[in-house]
């Protein structure tokens, strides 16, 4: 099986254009014998979100256990990072299974999981889950050996696509006007996993939201442009991504970070409704939920449907460009943060083709991105996120109803022989 899988996203587009330009990672005291461990059983689904910070701080819970007529405190040992991730992933897969009776929470899996984990645990986890030997795009695993941090992303967000498509289109247009000798040196990829990081990042792996590869003088393809998009993700994790790319892969020239924050954080608006109250809302079947029935109440939300909020206001939206400092040779933010929230001040961001590729002067280009198209696309994607959340709610509700129907046993009273 090939070690990497990617989707070629090259092609012409009307969303970007370029113009000719001059070069320019215990023990406990006990007062009584240890409580016998129960036999292993598959993990139950999470009923509350796992910590999503870059470090999981776990305080062992205490149970009051009767012993010889006395009450003693038994301290539960915390789960290892390996077991926490296995439980998280197993629960996600069970939740996604249409025939599985277990329940889950979209909020947990939409946000993803960030957890400290040693390289040894990561090696065991990746082997046990066959992470590097599957065509499955999600869950997506990114391990940073420098910070001993594993990030698990269970599903993409439509907001990722709102930015990724703009950059993809901008670079795609570049191929359409270049001679074949240069055009065949540019490749746009997504969902491709990269390893081979060096220095303090040795042993790391990462799948960018978008990557642009360029063929070097030796005829090999190097990733030189990287886009990382965060939604319900800590800004510090995005910064670590930029540092890993630039400090761990010398061929990378530019990393763009885009971050979106929703306020308030999403919580299913019908979670606490009983069946009677829920039925009064008269939701259609999942596939009949249409974006046209959702109301976008501002440029960046909130989005409402049936009088309920399905996407909160996107209160933060910005980009940062990171490059390698010419003196220290370390990753650094090269420009001021670009505000994506204010449509009155759309970013003026462009790159020179020579930033990534050795080319003749006549093949130089300035690559522009159509941010006016972004204004339209971001609205569609926010509504699409609302539709997705509503459809997932209806799918989970139907699953639970089906479980109750299967458990139902009709009474034998009144039955005829």
């Amino acid at each position: 099986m090939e070690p990497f899988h990617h989707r070629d996203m090259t092609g012409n587009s009307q969303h970007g254009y370029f113009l000719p330009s001059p070069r320019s990672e215990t023990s406990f005291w006990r007062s009584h014998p240890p409580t016998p461990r129960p036999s292993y059983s598959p993990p139950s689904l999470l009923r509350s979100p796992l910590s999503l910070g870059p470090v999981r701080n776990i305080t062992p819970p205490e149970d009051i256990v009767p012993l010889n007529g006395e009450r003693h405190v038994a301290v539960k040992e915390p789960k290892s990072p390996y077991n926490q991730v296995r439980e998280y992933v197993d629960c996600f897969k069970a939740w996604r299974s249409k025939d599985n009776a277990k329940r889950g929470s979209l909020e947990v899996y939409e946000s993803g999981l960030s957890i400290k984990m040693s390289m040894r645990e990561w090696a065991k986890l990746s082997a046990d889950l066959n992470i590097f030997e599957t065509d499955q795009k999600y869950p997506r695993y990114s391990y940073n050996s420098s910070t001993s941090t594993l990030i698990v992303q269970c599903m993409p967000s439509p907001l990722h696509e709102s930015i990724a498509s703009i950059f993809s289109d901008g670079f795609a247009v570049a191929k359409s006007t270049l001679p074949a000798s240069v055009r065949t040196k540019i490749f746009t990829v997504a969902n491709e996993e990269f390893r081979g990081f060096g220095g303090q990042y040795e042993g790391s792996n990462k799948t960018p939201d978008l990557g642009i590869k360029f063929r070097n003088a030796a005829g090999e393809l190097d990733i030189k442009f990287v886009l990382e998009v965060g939604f319900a993700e800590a800004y510090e994790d995005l910064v670590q991504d930029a540092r890993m790319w630039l400090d761990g892969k010398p061929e990378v020239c530019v990393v763009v970070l885009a971050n979106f924050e929703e306020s308030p954080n999403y919580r299913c608006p019908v979670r606490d409704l009983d069946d009677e109250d829920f039925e009064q809302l008269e939701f259609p079947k999942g596939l009949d939920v249409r974006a046209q029935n959702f109301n976008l109440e501002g440029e960046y939300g909130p989005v409402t449907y049936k009088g309920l909020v399905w996407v909160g206001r996107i209160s933060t939206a910005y980009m940062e460009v990171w490059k390698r400092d010419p003196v220290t040779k370390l990753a650094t933010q090269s420009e001021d943060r670009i505000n994506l929230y204010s449509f009155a001040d759309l970013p003026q961001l462009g790159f020179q083709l020579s930033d990534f590729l050795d080319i003749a002067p006549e093949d130089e280009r300035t690559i522009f991105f159509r941010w006016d198209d972004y204004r339209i696309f971001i609205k569609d994607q926010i509504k699409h996120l609302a539709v997705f959340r509503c459809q997932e709610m209806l799918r989970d509700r139907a699953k639970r109803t089906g479980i109750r129907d299967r458990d139902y046993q009709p009474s034998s009273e009144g039955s005829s022989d």
Side-chain angles (χ1 to χ4, degrees), residues 169-198:
D169 292 345
F171 279 97
V173 170
K175 294 186 65 175
S176 68
T177 63
L178 288 167
S181 59
V182 181
R183 187 167 65 245
T184 55
K185 295 180 180 181
I186 306 172
F187 295 84
T188 304
V189 297
N191 298 313
E192 179 173 338
E193 180 184 284
F194 289 84
R195 286 179 266 179
F197 291 85

Side-chain angles (χ1 to χ4, degrees), residues 163 212 249 258:
I163 290 292
I212 311 295
K249 275 193 173 294

Side-chain angles (χ1 to χ4, degrees), residues 28-30 32 59-63 65 72-78:
F28 302 93
W29 290 104
R30 300 178 184 270
H32 58 85
T59 303
E62 296 182 348
D63 283 346
V65 180
H72 296 265
V73 176
V75 180
K76 289 184 178 179
E77 296 184 14

Side-chain angles (χ1 to χ4, degrees), residues 176-247:
S176 68
T177 63
L178 288 167
S181 59
V182 181
R183 187 167 65 245
T184 55
K185 295 180 180 181
I186 306 172
F187 295 84
T188 304
V189 297
N191 298 313
E192 179 173 338
E193 180 184 284
F194 289 84
R195 286 179 266 179
F197 291 85
Q200 62 181 323
Y201 298 100
E202 183 177 358
S204 300
N205 71 285
K206 193 74 178 73
T207 303
D209 291 289
L210 181 72
I212 311 295
K213 289 181 173 182
F214 296 84
R215 196 178 302 278
N216 61 26
E220 299 173 338
L221 288 173
D222 289 334
I223 183 169
K224 293 196 172 184
F225 174 88
V226 171
L227 172 67
E228 294 285 357
V229 185
F231 178 61
E233 182 176 350
Y235 170 71
E236 292 75 14
D237 287 339
L238 286 173
V239 170
Q240 287 300 328
D241 289 343
R243 297 189 188 282
M244 184 166 70
W245 282 113
L246 290 164
D247 297 344

Side-chain angles (χ1 to χ4, degrees), residues 21-69:
S21 170
R23 293 189 69 89
S24 41
E25 174 189 19
T26 338
S27 60
F28 302 93
W29 290 104
R30 300 178 184 270
S31 59
H32 58 85
T35 302
R37 296 178 180 273
S39 58
Y40 174 81
S41 59
S44 59
L45 271 174
L46 307 174
R47 294 185 178 273
S48 60
L50 291 172
S51 169
L52 300 176
V55 181
R56 299 199 35 134
N57 299 318
I58 301 174
T59 303
E62 296 182 348
D63 283 346
I64 304 299
V65 180
L67 183 66
N68 298 328

Side-chain angles (χ1 to χ4, degrees), residues 39-340:
S39 58
Y40 174 81
S41 59
S44 59
L45 271 174
L46 307 174
R47 294 185 178 273
S48 60
L50 291 172
S51 169
L52 300 176
V55 181
R56 299 199 35 134
N57 299 318
I58 301 174
T59 303
E62 296 182 348
D63 283 346
I64 304 299
V65 180
L67 183 66
N68 298 328
E70 299 180 4
R71 294 168 67 84
H72 296 265
V73 176
V75 180
K76 289 184 178 179
E77 296 184 14
K79 295 179 182 178
S80 68
Y82 172 93
N83 288 333
Q84 292 180 61
V85 177
R86 281 299 302 261
E87 179 176 352
Y88 181 79
V89 172
D90 289 345
C91 291
F92 169 70
K93 292 179 178 179
W95 175 73
R96 288 302 298 166
S97 172
K98 294 181 180 180
D99 298 325
N100 196 285
K102 297 180 180 179
R103 297 173 58 183
S105 169
L106 172 64
E107 298 93 310
V108 176
Y109 307 121
E110 187 177 76
S111 299
L113 172 66
S114 178
I115 187 171
K116 290 291 185 180
M117 175 176 283
S118 69
M119 179 77 78
R120 183 188 297 270
E121 288 180 299
W122 165 236
K124 175 175 173 53
L125 179 73
S126 59
D128 291 350
L129 294 178
N130 297 317
I131 289 173
F132 302 127
E133 301 177 9
T134 177
D135 294 329
Q136 182 175 304
K137 295 179 181 179
Y138 288 91
R140 177 187 289 178
Y141 305 84
S142 297
Y143 185 73
N144 186 323
S145 61
S146 176
T147 60
S148 299
T149 303
L150 174 66
I151 295 178
V152 183
Q153 293 177 304
C154 291
M155 58 184 67
S157 163
L159 299 186
H160 286 69
E161 296 302 320
S162 67
I163 290 292
S165 65
I166 297 297
F167 283 97
S168 175
D169 292 345
F171 279 97
V173 170
K175 294 186 65 175
S176 68
T177 63
L178 288 167
S181 59
V182 181
R183 187 167 65 245
T184 55
K185 295 180 180 181
I186 306 172
F187 295 84
T188 304
V189 297
N191 298 313
E192 179 173 338
E193 180 184 284
F194 289 84
R195 286 179 266 179
F197 291 85
Q200 62 181 323
Y201 298 100
E202 183 177 358
S204 300
N205 71 285
K206 193 74 178 73
T207 303
D209 291 289
L210 181 72
I212 311 295
K213 289 181 173 182
F214 296 84
R215 196 178 302 278
N216 61 26
E220 299 173 338
L221 288 173
D222 289 334
I223 183 169
K224 293 196 172 184
F225 174 88
V226 171
L227 172 67
E228 294 285 357
V229 185
F231 178 61
E233 182 176 350
Y235 170 71
E236 292 75 14
D237 287 339
L238 286 173
V239 170
Q240 287 300 328
D241 289 343
R243 297 189 188 282
M244 184 166 70
W245 282 113
L246 290 164
D247 297 344
K249 275 193 173 294
E251 63 268 31
V252 174
C253 301
V254 177
V255 177
V256 174
L257 305 180
N259 197 23
F260 297 89
E261 297 176 9
E262 179 181 7
S263 180
N265 292 331
Y266 175 65
R267 184 179 186 277
C268 181
V270 300
R271 173 187 290 182
D272 299 327
L273 295 185
D274 58 28
D275 290 345
E276 182 178 353
D277 290 338
F278 178 79
E279 291 298 330
Q280 291 181 1
L281 291 172
E282 298 181 341
F283 280 95
K285 293 182 179 180
L287 295 178
D288 293 331
V289 175
R290 296 285 184 265
Q292 63 189 23
N293 298 323
F294 287 72
N295 181 33
L296 180 65
E297 298 185 357
E299 294 278 7
Y300 273 88
V303 181
T304 59
Y305 174 53
K306 299 283 185 180
L308 304 170
V309 176
W310 298 93
V311 176
R313 179 173 175 266
I314 306 302
S315 56
T316 299
Y318 60 82
M319 291 192 311
E320 294 179 356
V321 178
W322 284 65
K323 296 182 180 180
R324 193 173 289 105
D325 186 275
V327 177
T328 66
K329 306 302 181 183
L330 297 176
T332 184
Q333 183 179 337
S334 66
E335 302 175 13
D336 292 337
R337 179 174 288 183
I338 302 170
N339 182 16
L340 292 173

